[in-house]
Amino acid sequence: MSLKELEDLKKLQEELRRVEEEAVKERNLRDELNEKMKSLSKEIRELKGEARSLVQKLREIKEERRKKLQTLMEKKSVKDKLKEELRSLRSDIRNLIRASRELRNGVGGNRNLEELKEELERLEWEYQTSSLPLEREKVFIERISRLEVKIMRLSKLREYEEKIAHFKRRMEELVNKLNTLREEMHKLYEDSVRDLDEIKELRSKIEELNERIKEKMMERDKVKEEADKRHENYIKLRERRRELMEEIRRLTILLKAKRISMALNERRKELRKRAEEIYNKYKRGERLSFDEFKLLVEFNMLGSKE
């Protein structure tokens, strides 16, 4: 067994310790990186869950705002129709007022329709029940004719006034409806503006979350890359450890074999020396034991006593 072989064995054992230490270091670093990767994955899942929740809320608010805008458009359509009806009523009222003014001019001072009707009935009764001269009859007919015209105009005037009053009441109803409608539309508009502000805020939060998710995923990819590198190093070191252990085992066996061979050689020398001593006894004719005899046979020393 040479000194060089012992030195080689020592170098291999030192390299084995170094490789094992590096393997443990790489394995620990790999495990730490894997734990960090798990933590990042958990954080990414939580951020994605939060983003999904905000996206769902965004969809709901957008749908609510769409419905509000749709309702707002429907109310606007109703408002336009009410305003159109108001314009039509104002026009009708103006026309009725103009027609009423013309009728008033033809009615004169007495505008009591019932009195005029009573007067007409009286004149007609008197005309029908009296025997009148031709001139007087003509006067009656003219008076009755004027009264009929006056009553007709006054009746028409009353009809126009009733229509005007009816239209004004309708206009009042429409104005009230318009005011209520405007308040509802204003509230819907303000709600839609608030919804829009919330939508913008949610979009900003979602974009921020997506940016954070992207950053965390990039960080996780880098950590994974480093963990894979450490794992690859660990596998290489494990393979090198196996090779070193095989080499150490081979060299150890070789050294052990050499030691055994050397020990056997030393034993052989000792036995040879012992055999020579026994052979001298044999030559002297001294009695030998069975083991001594076997030893002489082993070294082929039996023969003549010369």
Side-chain angles (χ1 to χ4, degrees):
M1 181 170 57
S2 67
L3 182 61
K4 182 180 182 306
E5 289 172 333
L6 289 173
E7 288 177 352
D8 289 343
L9 178 61
K10 184 178 180 181
K11 286 180 181 178
L12 289 172
Q13 289 172 336
E14 288 176 353
E15 186 179 355
L16 177 63
R17 283 192 296 273
R18 180 183 61 79
V19 166
E20 287 178 337
E21 288 175 358
E22 288 182 6
V24 170
K25 180 181 177 182
E26 291 295 323
R27 183 191 65 195
N28 291 339
L29 285 172
R30 179 203 64 187
D31 293 345
E32 288 175 7
L33 290 167
N34 283 336
E35 285 299 318
K36 186 175 181 180
M37 197 161 62
K38 287 180 183 177
S39 176
L40 285 168
S41 295
K42 181 183 177 183
E43 191 173 352
I44 289 168
R45 285 195 301 274
E46 290 173 351
L47 289 171
K48 284 184 175 180
E50 187 177 349
R52 281 194 298 271
S53 177
L54 291 178
V55 168
Q56 179 60 31
K57 187 176 181 181
L58 177 62
R59 288 198 190 100
E60 292 172 357
I61 293 174
K62 286 174 71 176
E63 179 61 20
E64 288 175 4
R65 184 170 184 268
R66 186 193 67 78
K67 290 178 180 178
K68 287 173 184 176
L69 291 175
Q70 183 178 352
T71 303
L72 190 62
M73 294 303 294
E74 291 170 356
K75 289 184 179 294
K76 183 180 181 301
S77 178
V78 173
K79 185 187 76 171
D80 292 342
K81 288 179 181 179
L82 292 176
K83 289 174 70 176
E84 181 60 31
E85 187 178 352
L86 267 176
R87 281 193 292 270
S88 177
L89 287 171
R90 288 193 185 99
S91 176
D92 290 342
I93 288 173
R94 282 194 298 270
N95 292 333
L96 287 170
I97 289 173
R98 189 180 303 109
S100 297
R101 189 178 299 114
E102 293 174 358
L103 287 172
R104 286 193 191 94
N105 292 334
V107 168
N110 189 355
R111 295 181 186 174
N112 192 316
L113 183 60
E114 284 69 24
E115 289 181 358
L116 291 175
K117 286 180 178 181
E118 289 177 2
E119 185 179 353
L120 178 61
E121 289 176 2
R122 182 179 60 77
L123 285 174
E124 287 177 341
W125 172 257
E126 187 176 347
Y127 173 74
Q128 293 172 2
T129 58
S130 301
S131 178
L132 300 172
L134 185 59
E135 291 298 326
R136 183 68 174 165
E137 184 178 347
K138 185 178 179 181
V139 171
F140 265 86
I141 291 172
E142 289 176 356
R143 287 183 62 190
I144 289 171
S145 179
R146 283 197 300 271
L147 276 173
E148 286 176 343
V149 171
K150 196 171 186 180
I151 289 170
M152 181 194 68
R153 288 183 175 180
L154 196 56
S155 296
K156 200 66 176 176
L157 179 61
R158 180 171 293 183
E159 179 185 341
Y160 288 170
E161 288 174 347
E162 288 175 356
K163 281 187 178 181
I164 290 170
H166 172 72
F167 288 166
K168 285 184 176 179
R169 287 194 299 271
R170 177 58 181 163
M171 284 181 65
E172 188 176 352
E173 291 175 7
L174 292 175
V175 168
N176 291 335
K177 285 183 178 180
L178 274 172
N179 290 335
T180 302
L181 200 58
R182 286 190 181 102
E183 290 176 3
E184 292 173 353
M185 290 176 68
H186 182 69
K187 185 178 183 304
L188 282 169
Y189 174 76
E190 288 185 338
D191 288 347
S192 69
V193 169
R194 282 193 294 268
D195 289 343
L196 186 59
D197 291 338
E198 191 170 359
I199 286 169
K200 290 178 181 177
E201 184 179 353
L202 283 171
R203 281 176 175 165
S204 176
K205 287 181 179 179
I206 291 168
E207 288 176 3
E208 182 181 345
L209 280 172
N210 286 335
E211 188 63 30
R212 287 177 62 191
I213 290 168
K214 183 179 177 182
E215 291 173 0
K216 292 295 179 182
M217 290 179 72
M218 290 175 64
E219 183 181 356
R220 184 184 63 180
D221 291 343
K222 288 181 181 178
V223 171
K224 184 180 183 302
E225 184 180 352
E226 184 65 21
D228 291 343
K229 180 180 176 183
R230 296 295 179 179
H231 181 67
E232 184 180 348
N233 292 342
Y234 173 70
I235 296 300
K236 289 179 180 178
L237 289 167
R238 291 284 295 177
E239 180 61 23
R240 180 57 183 159
R241 177 180 179 275
R242 187 190 65 76
E243 292 173 356
L244 287 170
M245 288 183 70
E246 183 62 24
E247 184 65 20
I248 289 170
R249 185 185 70 81
R250 186 190 64 77
L251 190 55
T252 301
I253 290 172
L254 180 62
L255 291 173
K256 185 176 181 181
K258 286 186 176 182
R259 283 197 300 269
I260 292 172
S261 177
M262 290 174 64
L264 288 174
N265 287 336
E266 290 296 323
R267 176 66 177 162
R268 187 81 175 169
K269 288 179 182 178
E270 291 177 0
L271 289 174
R272 178 76 183 184
K273 185 178 179 182
R274 174 64 178 155
E276 289 175 352
E277 291 174 354
I278 294 169
Y279 181 68
N280 290 331
K281 285 176 63 178
Y282 170 71
K283 287 195 299 181
R284 291 193 299 269
E286 296 179 8
R287 187 176 180 178
L288 300 178
S289 67
F290 179 72
D291 289 337
E292 288 174 335
F293 184 76
K294 280 175 60 179
L295 192 58
L296 290 177
V297 172
E298 182 181 345
F299 285 98
N300 198 21
M301 290 183 175
L302 292 177
S304 66
K305 296 181 181 180
E306 295 180 3

